[in-house]
Amino acid sequence: MLPPCPQPRPAAAAPLHVFASLHHHRQPPQPLPHHRTQSNPVAPPPVHTVPPIIQDRAKLVELSLSLRRTPQYPGSISTSVPPSPHDAWRLLGDQDDEEEEVIMRALEARRKAATEIFKETVRKDGKFGITYTTNLAGRVPGFIDYVMIEAAALKRLPEFAESSYESRAKAVVRDSRVTPLIRWLKHNSLSYPQIGKLICMSKGNLERITRVAEWLKSIHVKGRFLGVALLRSGDNILERSIDELEEIVGYLESHGVRREWMGYVMSRCPELLCYSMEEVRSRVGFYLDMGMNEKDFGTMIYDYPKALGYYTLEEMNQKVNYLKEFGLSTDSVGKLLAFKPQLMACSIEDRWKPLVKYLYYLGINRDGMRRMLVIKPMVFCVDLETVIAPKVRFFQDIGIRNDAIGNMLAKFPPLLTYSLYKKIRPVVIFLMTKAGVSKQDIAKVVASGPELLGCSIVHKLDLNVKYFLSLGIRLPQLGEMIADFPMLLRYNVELLRPKYQYLRRTMVRPLRDVIEFPRFFSYSLEGRIIPRHKVMVENRVNFKLRYMLTPTDEEFDQRVKAAVERRQQFETGVSSHGLQSPQTTDERGVDDGTGLSHHDLASSETLETATGTDFESCTFN
């Protein structure tokens, strides 16, 4: 719960930025004398009657508290230097140095006294430690000056006419209710430097802090982000009205940013609160003009709020134009940014251009880069030297050529986002030690199947290896199968099991058929394996798995038709000449994919062709 707002005294001084409150009447400060510059020197003050000493001292205090002096070295040119106490003393006329020193010492003594009173009052009322209050007091010099001037102004009130300076300063600190505000801000995880900066930003009007903080909480800004939102939203955030802030939030809400997302958005990008409505409209229109709908725009802002308010419009236009150089249209860039708005955080000179040059060195052309950008835009957000280059060197070390690395990255861009030491190297070591892949084949496996490097060893690769070994496949044979078809280890065991059972029990095929053609597991059981097997059984023909599954439907029908014709010719020859070899068979003796040789057919081979049964497949390994 926020502390109640402090109520101003009836005769309180002006806010902190108006330090000329020591006059008897409450009037705005008179304009300061022109700064002395080389181009516009100030003429020496005319001779005049010195005003009373009280007014002189008030004028001196006003000038000395106005602004800090810029450090100057001997012989330097003064540029817009505020009047120093010595310059103020000149305005009052020639006075003795001793009197000037007395006034400055008295002023510094009052400031130190106000600081001690602030620390003591805050420590006792807020129950803070001595170290905390001391550190905080060093961060609020403006508020200390405010207390000092207000305490001096209270002496004009009847009830404080006879009171001491210490009692008046303590009353100012307590009446400002700065202690409950400090406790509340500290409770919301604000550090003492943040609290001190906020108090100084308020310029003595602490009500501004509570007013804006309450509004931020109303749009779901969490407590620990209140300080970030208040400090990063600009110095004018405490001066803006709630209606102006509500107008910004309402406009974003009308374009797809949900009300419950506003706290998250403003916490991550509080710079939005310091923009005018015209600036906000132009930034929103920047994305909507790229064909982005309001739903995608809202989710994009929630995903990365800085894309809307952190970068200048000039930077945003430059990055969009650079992305178009890859051959992307305006709508495609809009979709890309809606999917990965973090691209707006990348520098063209420091990140994108070196990356493009490096990818070109690996043999990746513009089309390949566009594919990488569309499939995995995160590649263009990672660091080249620390993330991408070490992975490429690792691939080179295991024997993959540069052109093959380029093809591999263009084929599977997510590979560059995997951790080298937590993902890529452990999978390579597993393939060589647990899956039987030889050192000569590991480069081929990784280059042709980079998707393996993204699989979990425990939940995917190890389970598949154990399953294949349980079928009776030896480890070197499994390594050769993986080298022939690396994707073998990516399939779910529950999908592999019914295919193998159908192969062994229904098709009555030997285990070596799978070892010779591991791609068998990549085909659909219901869509290709069973229908083609039924066609072979109905036509009493038999093919190797490679010739059974790889052809298209048209090629498969032609192959079946040719095999049926050869079988019919063979049966006709058997009926006419017994078991002698027909003269019309292929004299070359070449295996045509049916598994038969047309020279010296034995009786078992003749019967196998006639019945469409592979007798070797009837013996289980």
Side-chain angles (χ1 to χ4, degrees):
M1 187 68 181
L2 278 171
C5 300
Q7 299 296 328
R9 289 179 172 274
L16 186 57
H17 64 288
V18 183
F19 285 107
S21 58
L22 293 179
H23 295 289
H24 293 285
H25 302 284
R26 310 290 292 175
Q27 296 179 355
Q30 299 299 322
L32 294 175
H34 294 289
H35 298 171
R36 293 179 303 161
T37 59
Q38 190 175 11
S39 60
N40 187 22
V42 178
V47 179
H48 60 278
T49 303
V50 180
I53 189 61
I54 297 179
Q55 296 181 7
D56 294 348
R57 293 179 178 178
K59 190 68 176 181
L60 178 61
V61 172
E62 177 184 348
L63 294 175
S64 63
L65 293 179
S66 59
L67 291 171
R68 290 187 177 182
R69 295 182 57 196
T70 303
Q72 299 290 317
Y73 56 90
S76 63
I77 299 175
S78 176
T79 57
S80 301
V81 180
S84 64
H86 182 67
D87 297 328
W89 192 256
R90 282 187 177 183
L91 296 176
L92 300 177
D94 296 332
Q95 302 290 336
D96 294 336
D97 294 339
E98 295 182 0
E99 188 174 357
E100 177 184 0
E101 186 69 20
V102 169
I103 294 177
M104 296 307 299
R105 287 182 180 179
L107 183 61
E108 187 63 28
R110 288 295 178 94
R111 184 178 286 110
K112 290 182 179 179
T115 302
E116 294 299 325
I117 293 170
F118 171 81
K119 294 183 341 185
E120 185 68 17
T121 305
V122 171
R123 185 178 67 83
K124 289 184 177 180
D125 296 348
K127 298 181 179 179
F128 297 111
I130 298 177
T131 303
Y132 184 85
T133 54
T134 302
N135 293 334
L136 181 60
R139 298 281 180 168
V140 289
F143 187 77
I144 297 299
D145 292 339
Y146 168 80
V147 172
M148 181 178 61
I149 297 173
E150 284 289 326
L154 286 181
K155 192 173 181 60
R156 299 192 301 271
L157 298 179
E159 59 269 27
F160 291 100
E162 302 299 330
S163 61
S164 63
Y165 173 77
E166 289 76 8
S167 62
R168 295 196 305 272
K170 186 179 297 185
V172 171
V173 174
R174 286 179 174 172
D175 290 348
S176 67
R177 299 194 60 81
V178 67
T179 304
L181 178 63
I182 294 173
R183 289 190 60 85
W184 183 80
L185 294 174
K186 187 174 184 295
H187 176 73
N188 285 280
S189 304
L190 270 72
S191 62
Y192 70 84
Q194 292 176 325
I195 296 175
K197 187 174 180 180
L198 278 176
I199 293 175
C200 292
M201 285 172 55
S202 67
K203 300 178 181 178
N205 190 356
L206 302 181
E207 180 186 0
R208 297 176 178 178
I209 301 176
T210 57
R211 175 175 56 86
V212 177
E214 285 285 6
W215 179 80
L216 289 174
K217 295 188 70 174
S218 69
I219 61 171
H220 310 292
V221 176
K222 302 299 182 181
R224 63 191 183 96
F225 290 108
L226 281 176
V228 177
L230 288 169
L231 295 176
R232 286 180 48 194
S233 54
D235 294 338
N236 66 335
I237 182 63
L238 298 181
E239 299 176 1
R240 304 197 72 175
S241 65
I242 299 299
D243 293 337
E244 291 177 319
L245 301 176
E246 279 291 346
E247 187 178 4
I248 295 175
V249 171
Y251 183 79
L252 295 178
E253 188 175 1
S254 64
H255 286 81
V257 184
R258 299 180 184 177
R259 184 77 180 186
E260 56 269 23
W261 296 350
M262 289 298 173
Y264 179 85
V265 172
M266 297 305 173
S267 300
R268 272 68 182 178
C269 187
E271 291 83 1
L272 285 169
L273 298 175
C274 68
Y275 291 138
S276 64
M277 275 306 303
E278 290 75 12
E279 180 73 13
V280 175
R281 290 191 184 95
S282 61
R283 289 175 175 272
V284 173
F286 173 83
Y287 291 102
L288 298 182
D289 292 343
M290 289 190 290
M292 191 181 303
N293 57 44
E294 293 184 353
K295 181 178 180 181
D296 291 341
F297 174 78
T299 55
M300 180 195 72
I301 299 304
Y302 178 77
D303 186 25
Y304 189 67
K306 286 187 175 182
L308 181 62
Y310 190 76
Y311 309 102
T312 64
L313 285 173
E314 183 180 0
E315 290 178 323
M316 295 160 67
N317 277 301
Q318 289 176 353
K319 293 171 183 177
V320 169
N321 293 332
Y322 188 86
L323 293 176
K324 290 181 180 179
E325 294 181 4
F326 291 97
L328 296 174
S329 63
T330 302
D331 293 345
S332 299
V333 174
K335 294 178 181 178
L336 181 64
L337 293 177
F339 176 71
K340 200 66 178 178
Q342 288 82 358
L343 287 170
M344 279 296 177
C346 301
S347 171
I348 296 177
E349 298 294 334
D350 297 337
R351 178 151 298 178
W352 285 352
K353 287 186 177 180
L355 175 62
V356 169
K357 184 177 180 180
Y358 188 78
L359 295 178
Y360 184 78
Y361 164 77
L362 295 176
I364 303 177
N365 55 20
R366 192 184 72 165
D367 294 337
M369 295 180 194
R370 182 177 66 249
R371 186 176 187 276
M372 296 175 64
L373 185 61
V374 173
I375 294 178
K376 198 66 177 180
M378 189 63 188
V379 173
F380 283 72
C381 297
V382 298
D383 186 70
L384 174 62
E385 296 295 332
T386 60
V387 178
I388 296 179
K391 297 172 186 176
V392 173
R393 288 194 294 267
F394 175 78
F395 296 141
Q396 293 171 340
D397 292 341
I398 63 177
I400 305 178
R401 303 188 309 273
N402 285 341
D403 57 343
I405 293 176
N407 294 332
M408 178 176 65
L409 298 180
K411 175 185 177 182
F412 190 64
L415 181 62
L416 289 176
T417 62
Y418 296 152
S419 172
L420 176 60
Y421 297 99
K422 295 181 180 180
K423 197 72 174 178
I424 297 177
R425 290 182 74 255
V427 171
V428 171
I429 294 173
F430 176 86
L431 293 175
M432 298 179 65
T433 57
K434 302 295 183 180
V437 180
S438 63
K439 184 178 180 180
Q440 293 75 18
D441 292 334
I442 189 62
K444 175 185 175 183
V445 171
V446 174
S448 58
E451 297 85 354
L452 279 178
L453 301 180
C455 297
S456 170
I457 295 178
V458 177
H459 299 97
K460 176 63 68 175
L461 301 180
D462 190 51
L463 294 178
N464 285 24
V465 168
K466 290 180 179 179
Y467 173 73
F468 287 115
L469 294 179
S470 68
L471 301 180
I473 302 175
R474 297 190 298 273
L475 190 61
Q477 292 176 326
L478 179 59
E480 294 177 357
M481 293 171 64
I482 297 173
D484 184 24
F485 185 55
M487 302 299 291
L488 183 66
L489 297 181
R490 293 192 67 232
Y491 295 108
N492 195 334
V493 174
E494 299 301 325
L495 296 178
L496 299 175
R497 186 175 289 109
K499 296 179 183 180
Y500 180 75
Q501 292 175 351
Y502 186 85
L503 176 80
R504 299 283 280 158
R505 298 176 183 178
T506 305
M507 298 177 66
V508 199
R509 295 272 187 164
L511 179 62
R512 73 166 183 267
D513 284 7
V514 175
I515 298 175
E516 294 175 355
F517 187 66
R519 293 178 183 268
F520 165 78
F521 293 103
S522 65
Y523 295 99
S524 170
L525 179 61
E526 301 293 336
R528 175 160 292 197
I529 297 176
I530 293 179
R532 293 196 175 184
H533 176 250
K534 289 182 178 180
V535 171
M536 291 168 55
V537 172
E538 291 172 357
N539 292 274
R540 294 186 298 165
V541 296
N542 192 24
F543 300 141
K544 290 183 178 180
L545 294 179
R546 184 183 305 274
Y547 302 105
M548 168 187 169
L549 299 175
T550 55
T552 63
D553 292 339
E554 183 179 353
E555 293 174 348
F556 178 74
D557 293 339
Q558 293 177 357
R559 189 180 295 274
V560 171
K561 183 178 180 181
V564 170
E565 291 178 355
R566 288 193 298 269
R567 179 177 55 80
Q568 290 176 351
Q569 292 176 1
F570 176 78
E571 290 176 349
T572 302
V574 170
S575 61
S576 302
H577 306 287
L579 295 178
Q580 296 180 1
S581 177
Q583 299 297 324
T584 59
T585 57
D586 190 351
E587 296 298 332
R588 296 173 298 173
V590 179
D591 186 358
D592 60 356
T594 62
L596 302 175
S597 178
H598 297 295
H599 270 304
D600 301 327
L601 291 175
S603 59
S604 61
E605 292 173 324
T606 303
L607 183 58
E608 176 183 336
T609 305
T611 59
T613 304
D614 187 350
F615 282 90
E616 292 183 357
S617 64
C618 296
T619 304
F620 287 84
N621 291 341

